[in-house]
Amino acid sequence: MKQLHRRALRLHRRHRHGAAAKFEAVRLAGQRRRRLLSRSRGQKETALSSSLPQPSPSAAPQLQILGMGLMGSGKSTILRALARMLGGAWLNQDEFYHLGKNAKSAFLSAIRNGASAGAGGRSPCVVVDKINTISLHRKEILEALDGPLPRSRVLLCFAHPSDPPDKIGPACVSLCAQRIKERGAGHRSLFPDNPDIERILSRTAHGFQAPSAAELGQFEVVINICMTDSPAVSLQRVVDELLKHGCLGSGQLRILAGDALADITKAVVGPQSTPPPRPASAPVPPATKTEPGVLESAAPVAESLPIYWGVFFPPSEETDNFWQGLCGCAPPYFKRVPDKHVTLLYAGGAASDGQAAKKLGMPTADFAKLRESCERWEGKEVEVTVLSLLQDADVACASVVLPPGLPCANLHPHITLAHSSQVGPVHSNVVLARHHDRIRGEVVGGPAVVALLARDLGPQAVRLRGEVRAFRAPGHRPSRHQLPLAVRQRQLRLQQQQQQQKQKQR
């Protein structure tokens, strides 16, 4: 009787609020997601039980490296280069920033997966990139790194030589703030246009908790890094200390320090390219220096750039049936994208190439080259091949292959089919990057954090014909998920005030 009474109350609440269909859709989506997670977890446990080696004294110890220092102190550069030199896993908490409130648990789960031996074997090195200024955070990471297999732990402490020992002083805060402002949009969570950079750094430095003697005893080697030294000097010092204490063998280095630094610099900044030559007959407009190292034309811009360039597919019964077949497994809370397209270059309606390039974090010359190439392709009909379908709990997208010569700023060209209200179509880039990292095996544990369905169409790969054109929307506004919470709240208050005024006038 109690169960029947509770069920009747639940049904009464649903019908009273008029949300019975929504509750049912959410319940079915939750059941489907739990089945997917249990299925992937069962496959993972089966693989682990069949391939997990027993700890033995002869097993090679895993090198576990932790960084500790303020944002902008140079941790990511050194730690990422070490991971490339040793062929290990680089786990940065900022890479899980897109998961929101689940970022911390996903980050710790990736650390646990990296420290354990999976079906692909155990990684020789795990590099944890986090500020680690609080003892509780360091404790959580060390607990995630614990396991029965042998290991060797190293702590890298990034500090300024002018500051007192065991403290983060004003010299470190000042230098870190200067570096953050100079590096542009190369950081995922802390941007140079944030007016509270120095306040955030000062607050983090004030809450710094130096490691105790008992905590330092859990590390075989503790290396102090002078943040005023160049990355090459700091990296060479770390390698020398690891060799000196026997944590590293000379044969374990896969590439040299200079090559590793060059690789990560190229990955962050991108290849530099020169702008296309201007015809001799064309006049050269005067240029003014608006940003360090960026020259923009001083001539007025007659029209702003489009929102993006893309390949658009004309609607037909055949293509509509194809899209519906791909979206058949999507949860009911997904919103279908009405106009399926492949985004080639996003400009955001900016007034100049410099503004659009700054949003994308690429050099202005590279953006101008891509823009001119997209403009040359405008109006042409092209053929796109749909290879595979990818889906997680927030987005469903299709991986495609573009014809040779067609430019695309995205690393993995795709078509976003549907997405949830929590994310936008841009989340497809995250899903595709996670899928390709899992295929290459470069990220240990990261791809297994979120359930990801991948279906290769194989012989059923479909070729679609579309047209390259620019998408312009005069009334374009950022979508709801792109606006800050304070802006959304202010807009909601304004809408409520306008409704109240209309009611009073009536």
Side-chain angles (χ1 to χ4, degrees):
M1 292 296 295
K2 290 183 178 180
Q3 293 180 354
L4 293 176
H5 181 65
R6 291 174 182 172
R7 184 179 180 183
L9 284 177
R10 286 198 299 268
L11 293 175
H12 175 69
R13 291 169 184 169
R14 294 178 188 176
H15 289 288
R16 184 182 62 184
H17 293 286
K22 183 177 180 181
F23 273 66
E24 185 66 18
V26 172
R27 185 183 67 84
L28 294 176
Q31 289 181 355
R32 184 180 291 106
R33 185 172 183 178
R34 283 192 294 271
R35 285 198 300 268
L36 293 176
L37 290 175
S38 61
R39 190 182 306 169
S40 61
R41 190 179 298 114
Q43 294 175 357
K44 189 190 303 180
E45 291 176 355
T46 304
L48 286 174
S49 61
S50 61
S51 61
L52 184 62
Q54 297 296 327
S56 61
S58 60
Q62 183 185 59
L63 185 59
Q64 300 175 352
I65 302 177
L66 275 71
M68 183 180 69
L70 210 56
M71 301 83 77
S73 59
K75 300 185 310 299
S76 297
T77 302
I78 302 301
L79 296 176
R80 194 173 183 181
L82 281 173
R84 292 191 66 86
M85 293 175 64
L86 302 174
W90 173 66
L91 301 177
N92 185 0
Q93 189 180 21
D94 295 330
E95 299 298 319
F96 300 84
Y97 182 74
H98 64 279
L99 297 178
K101 62 181 181 180
N102 298 324
K104 181 179 178 180
S105 60
F107 177 60
L108 295 177
S109 178
I111 295 176
R112 282 189 288 269
N113 293 337
S116 62
R122 195 189 191 200
S123 176
C125 175
V126 175
V127 181
V128 181
D129 188 359
K130 191 176 183 295
I131 61 174
N132 289 322
T133 55
I134 300 178
S135 59
L136 178 61
H137 295 171
R138 296 191 296 266
K139 179 181 178 182
E140 292 174 346
I141 293 177
L142 292 178
E143 290 177 351
L145 288 170
D146 281 338
L149 300 177
R151 62 178 181 269
S152 179
R153 287 179 178 171
V154 179
L155 178 64
L156 303 185
C157 305
F158 294 78
H160 198 282
S162 301
D163 291 336
D166 298 335
K167 288 186 179 180
I168 300 179
C172 178
V173 173
S174 176
L175 181 58
C176 291
Q178 178 184 353
R179 289 179 175 177
I180 293 174
K181 294 177 181 179
E182 291 176 353
R183 69 185 176 188
H187 199 271
R188 291 182 179 268
S189 58
L190 196 60
F191 300 100
D193 56 353
N194 189 342
D196 298 331
I197 288 179
E198 295 186 0
R199 185 176 64 86
I200 294 174
L201 293 174
S202 300
R203 185 175 56 189
T204 306
H206 181 71
F208 172 67
Q209 299 174 354
S212 60
E215 186 177 352
L216 293 176
Q218 303 181 51
F219 297 91
E220 279 72 20
V221 183
V222 178
I223 304 175
N224 296 318
I225 305 297
C226 179
M227 56 181 294
T228 58
D229 292 339
S230 64
V233 173
S234 301
L235 194 58
Q236 188 60 44
R237 169 174 166 74
V238 173
V239 173
D240 293 342
E241 290 292 330
L242 294 178
L243 292 172
K244 175 182 175 182
H245 291 83
C247 299
L248 181 66
S250 57
Q252 293 182 252
L253 297 177
R254 302 193 177 185
I255 60 175
L256 299 177
D259 296 336
L261 290 173
D263 290 345
I264 64 174
T265 303
K266 186 185 300 183
V268 173
V269 178
Q272 298 293 330
S273 62
T274 57
R278 181 182 298 272
S281 59
V284 180
T288 57
K289 191 171 183 180
T290 58
E291 294 179 6
V294 177
L295 291 177
E296 290 189 6
S297 173
V301 180
E303 185 180 4
S304 61
L305 297 174
I307 305 301
Y308 57 85
W309 284 269
V311 180
F312 293 85
F313 306 99
S316 65
E317 184 178 358
E318 183 179 358
T319 55
D320 291 345
N321 293 335
F322 176 66
W323 301 132
Q324 291 179 4
L326 291 181
C327 298
C329 298
Y333 59 85
F334 271 20
K335 297 188 299 183
R336 269 58 171 178
V337 177
D339 298 328
K340 308 294 190 299
H341 64 275
V342 180
T343 302
L344 301 177
L345 179 63
Y346 180 81
S352 64
D353 290 346
Q355 294 181 5
K358 185 177 180 181
K359 291 180 180 179
L360 297 178
M362 67 167 57
T364 306
D366 290 355
F367 180 87
K369 186 176 180 180
L370 288 172
R371 175 185 58 78
E372 293 179 356
S373 182
C374 289
E375 290 175 349
R376 288 194 297 267
W377 279 82
E378 277 192 43
K380 295 183 179 180
E381 189 175 344
V382 297
E383 189 177 69
V384 177
T385 304
V386 182
L387 292 182
S388 59
L389 172 66
L390 299 172
Q391 178 181 321
D392 69 350
D394 288 312
V395 74
C397 60
S399 177
V400 302
V401 175
L402 302 177
L406 183 62
C408 184
N410 290 327
L411 184 60
H412 309 292
H414 62 276
I415 302 172
T416 301
L417 305 174
H419 60 89
S420 69
S421 59
Q422 302 298 324
V423 300
V426 71
H427 186 66
S428 299
N429 293 304
V430 179
V431 173
L432 286 161
R434 188 188 307 133
H435 175 64
H436 284 80
D437 288 343
R438 178 165 64 179
I439 293 176
R440 294 192 300 265
E442 292 184 358
V443 178
V444 178
V449 173
V450 181
L452 177 64
L453 294 179
R455 179 164 62 91
D456 191 1
L457 300 182
Q460 300 178 355
V462 178
R463 295 182 178 181
L464 303 174
R465 301 196 68 84
E467 181 185 356
V468 179
R469 66 173 186 264
F471 175 76
R472 299 178 182 274
H476 173 73
R477 292 291 184 271
S479 59
R480 184 178 65 83
H481 73 277
Q482 293 174 326
L483 295 176
L485 178 61
V487 177
R488 298 202 302 268
Q489 291 177 347
R490 185 167 63 253
Q491 291 181 352
L492 182 60
R493 288 196 298 268
L494 291 175
Q495 292 176 359
Q496 292 176 352
Q497 292 176 2
Q498 292 176 358
Q499 292 178 357
Q500 292 176 0
Q501 292 177 359
K502 290 181 180 179
Q503 292 177 357
K504 290 180 179 179
Q505 290 177 359
R506 293 176 181 176

